[in-house]
Amino acid sequence: MEHRHLGRSGVKISEIAYGNWITHGSQVEEDAARACVAAALDKGISTFDTADVYAGTRAEEVLGRALQGIRRESVEICTKVYWPAGDGRNDRGLSRKHIMESVSGSLRRLRTDYLDLYQAHRYDSETPLEETLRAFDDLVRQGKVLYIGVSEWRAEQIADAVRIAGQLGLDRIVSNQPQYNMIWRVIESEIVPLCEKEGIGQIVWSPIAQGALTGKYRPGQAPPAGTRATDPSGSGFIQNYLRDDVLSRVEQLRPVAAEAGLSMPQLAVAWTLQNPNVSAAIVGATRPEQVRENAKASGVVLDQAVLRRIDEALGPAIVRDPERTSSPPRRP
Ligand SMILES: NC(=O)c1ccc[n+]([C@@H]2O[C@H](COP(=O)([O-])OP(=O)(O)OC[C@H]3O[C@@H](n4cnc5c(N)ncnc54)[C@H](OP(=O)(O)O)[C@@H]3O)[C@@H](O)[C@H]2O)c1
């Protein structure tokens, strides 16, 4: 497993990270969750991503239990705040009150004294950015959080955060967590150039398009049982990738992966890692074999001819519009 700097910060993270959205505390039982975490650690994955909102806070608990007994210094634990983590009117968003309360819950559930990376899970248009950045900065000063980042923020929102932090002498964000894969490339035109300039790394989510880039979903066929597409909590999220026009394009990646000597999931993960602004690709998994397979994408270099063939194969299925990066206009 190779490691990369988290943006231009001093800390290094594994270039393949493991995330537990939809899986831990929901789609998979605890023993499968533990087996996936064990496989990740065994393959050198040291970076783990979760969120307070995943499985209604149960995902953090499962990850906390699975990492118990591991030398704390050997892993990087990343979580997030913004989406509702309770029923109360203040159990959401990026107010000072919710950030301070949510971090306490995350630390308790993850069984740790500090988080390596704390991320704003979306942009909160109802809280002044200065309030959020000051609360994050306080957490850094208190030692509860080592680095701060954001997720799915637009380029202008990231630019504002950098400017305000500079003016007020507050801790700077080191990362952004966007969706990024061979199909979903909306960060490339605005966010990546800005982040390269500002030393902010991308920790990208759904590098395999939630499983759609594995080739296991075939156009015109029902999705196989035991996959995200058939899971009650996951099926709604993956639907956009399961359109026949998209899947028939994905079929054309088969020979490209085979000739590169990679499986389809490995090609997908390796593709995201060719972008030097990517600090890590966060893979999800329901079985330890998937973790082991995906981890082999670390260190793979794809040559220009392969990259060109991928673009040709996917053609109009590729989404590039930067306007597709968005946060809810009001808090959920
Ligand atoms: N910041 C955000 O807003 C945000 C949003 C979403 C995700 N995330 C983060 O990103 C992480 C990864 O997202 P994701 O789970 O969508 O990523 P992904 O790696 O694109 O998809 C993971 C899913 O694909 C299937 N899969 C993975 N490897 C496979 C393999 N080798 N062969 C066949 N199927 C395979 C598995 O589902 P099945 O076995 O069920 O088919 C697995 O759960 C999340 O856990 C979370 O930490 C963040």
Side-chain angles (χ1 to χ4, degrees), residues 10-24:
V11 71
K12 284 190 164 184
I13 63 175
S14 55
E15 66 177 11
I16 296 179
Y18 174 77
N20 70 358
W21 175 55
I22 294 180
T23 55
H24 292 189

Side-chain angles (χ1 to χ4, degrees), residues 18-23 27 49-51 54 80 83 119 121-122 151-152 177-179 181 204-212 214 216-217 226-229 231 238 263 265-266 269 282-287 289-291 293-294:
Y18 174 77
N20 70 358
W21 175 55
I22 294 180
T23 55
Q27 187 186 1
D49 184 76
T50 185
Y54 292 171
K80 319 186 195 79
W83 293 102
Q119 303 155 99
H121 209 157
R122 287 296 181 273
S151 173
E152 289 294 340
Q177 188 177 126
Q179 179 171 195
N181 57 52
V204 306
W205 59 268
S206 295
I208 316 173
Q210 304 192 43
T214 63
K216 67 183 172 185
Y217 300 107
T227 58
R228 182 171 298 182
D231 179 71
I238 193 177
S263 70
Q266 287 162 357
V269 177
I282 318 170
V283 297
T286 54
R287 318 183 211 324
E289 308 84 77
Q290 294 175 347
V291 180
E293 178 177 9
N294 302 344

Side-chain angles (χ1 to χ4, degrees), residues 225-244:
T227 58
R228 182 171 298 182
T230 59
D231 179 71
S233 53
S235 61
F237 292 105
I238 193 177
Q239 281 313 315
N240 260 345
Y241 285 122
L242 301 186
R243 298 197 324 255
D244 276 356

